[in-house]
Amino acid sequence: MAQVPQTFFDALAVRTWCGLALRALGRAREEIDAINVYPVADGDTGTNLYLTAESAAAAVEAVFDGHDAHDSGKPALADAARAMAHGALIGARGNSGTILAQLLRGMAQVLAAEGETAHTDGEGLRLALRHAADSARQAVAHPVEGTVLTVASAAADAAGAAEGDCGTVARAAYDGACAALTATPGQLAVLERAGVVDAGGRGLVAVLGALVETFTGEAPRAVPVTSGTFPEAGPAEVPEAVSEAATVSRDECADAPGTGGPAFEVIYLLEAEDTAVARLRERLDGLGDSLVVVGGDGLWNVHVHVDDAGAAVEAGIEAGRPYRIRITHFGLGDVHTTGAERQPRERAQRAVVAVVPGEGLAGLYTEAGATTVLARPGEPPASGELVEAVRRAHAREVVLLPNDADLRHTAAAAAEQARAEGIRVALIPTRSAVQGIAALAVHEPERRFDEDVVQMTSAAGATRYAEVAVAERQSWTMAGICQAGDVLGLIDGDVAVIGSDVTLTAESVLDRMLSAGGELVTLVLGDEAPEAVADHLETRVRESYLAVDTVVYRGGRQGAVLLIGVE
């Protein structure tokens, strides 16, 4: 079905483009993964691009949902463009996803500039594509031709020579990108040997094709992924020659001297000043390769391939505050080679995958054997991120703990996708991290899967949960009207107490919970919790409630000041 075209670049066009780009990358994901041979033949470029686009699209949807909730009409172009860029930045995966995030950020900087009406037409789109290509190239420490950077530059060049509306400019950019993509095997030897085009460039062509569809209403014809020609395949079909070519390239990379490359991929978000990031670039450039640092305004996404993963993380700590740290050891699979044959890693029988709100709890869950997904305040994980965590757990059976009522549908979608891949997944609808702790405490991998899930579900369901947080704005609650700065005590998701002091509010919440009985109180302290609150509450429980134990954990930057669980 043809898409109803947008006539100019506004917030709705951003939303439409993000949705169509996500759909296009979803259709092409397997095909792009199959031809991924540079810079590392790890077969995940399509997946990384999809996850990055999914995060961008989710951020834009959140902006529209916020305006709908307040009946404030359609958001401004600047709001939607900035959300797209921010979503891509925090969700960027791999080398290709990080570069895509910078491309979208470059476009957003033009679209969200002052006097935005001047940037909603074809001329604005030309400027946005040019700035995107230039900023992405600047973000890569050592740009290589024959990659997505080449394709992006060609798209910007072609757009710059076009005259007309957004549809005309988008079509010119797409055609220029397709021509550049076809030429990539002649620019990069590893692509020529494999007989494929650049995977990242192929992904960008899909994104630009979605841009064409946004402004013309029609999707352009798909492009071949090999350096030869073959009949056009359907969206989910990957010609056998492509998979064979990618396999050959992986073997060639393994046998070629000096192409083993670093052992680890390190990715993290970083809160740091510009001057510190400039020093970080120099430090990381000396540690490894494939260095890409994107972002700005105090928030950055860092990607690098190194042999010393610890040194790469330490460099980030020296520069600012790194978080969402992801370290992938290429040697664990067939994704980065040294020439030696490896046996596939045996799947575990069972694993637990949990979403956790802070670094402290992530460490606690990891020590208990769970694979964790860190959810920063206001940045919930997308379904693709949960699916990736399930895959990373590498088990035949997986218990999924979303630990947030708002993640129920996201977790359900992730579980369904994982089941389609042959993994047995049970979703326990935990609504708080303290319920997840209770479930994990009774987890026994040696039990039959169904019995284990029943016991974990029962333990989670028997745990009442609460949180103490600070109100950000005036609003109506179940306990009355709260003002910005008030301390809120929420029990089972509803505001039960409104106070002015964290410790006293927490005590009131705890008394209400224990009035119905309990044997164990779990306290998870956030970074903003007063130093004395844990001691005060432990004393309160010890003196007022006989035979009730208390356990305290440090949750880190978890959003809520305090989480409380009563079993």
Side-chain angles (χ1 to χ4, degrees), residues 26 106 142 160 183 258 307 565:
H142 302 285
D307 281 321

Side-chain angles (χ1 to χ4, degrees), residues 14 42 55 66 108 113 116 189 199 206 223 263 304 329 336-337 341 348 392 421 473 513 523 530 541 545 547 551:
V14 173
D42 48 0
S55 183
E116 69 177 48
V223 296
V304 67
H329 183 199
H336 199 83
T337 55
E341 292 185 4
R392 196 167 73 245
E421 297 177 8
R473 63 183 67 87
M513 297 178 75
L523 304 176
V541 171
Y545 302 95
V551 59

Side-chain angles (χ1 to χ4, degrees), residues 143-227:
V144 175
E145 298 306 327
T147 65
V148 62
L149 297 176
T150 305
V151 176
S153 294
D157 291 343
E163 296 290 340
D165 58 13
C166 287
T168 301
V169 173
R171 172 69 70 176
Y174 177 80
D175 291 342
C178 289
L181 179 67
T182 303
T184 55
Q187 297 172 290
L188 207 52
V190 65
L191 301 178
E192 186 175 28
R193 287 195 299 268
V196 297
V197 296
D198 178 67
R202 171 63 183 92
L204 179 58
V205 164
V207 173
L208 291 174
L211 188 65
V212 173
E213 188 173 359
T214 298
F215 290 113
T216 68
E218 297 182 358
R221 179 181 174 85
V223 296
V225 295
T226 64
S227 55

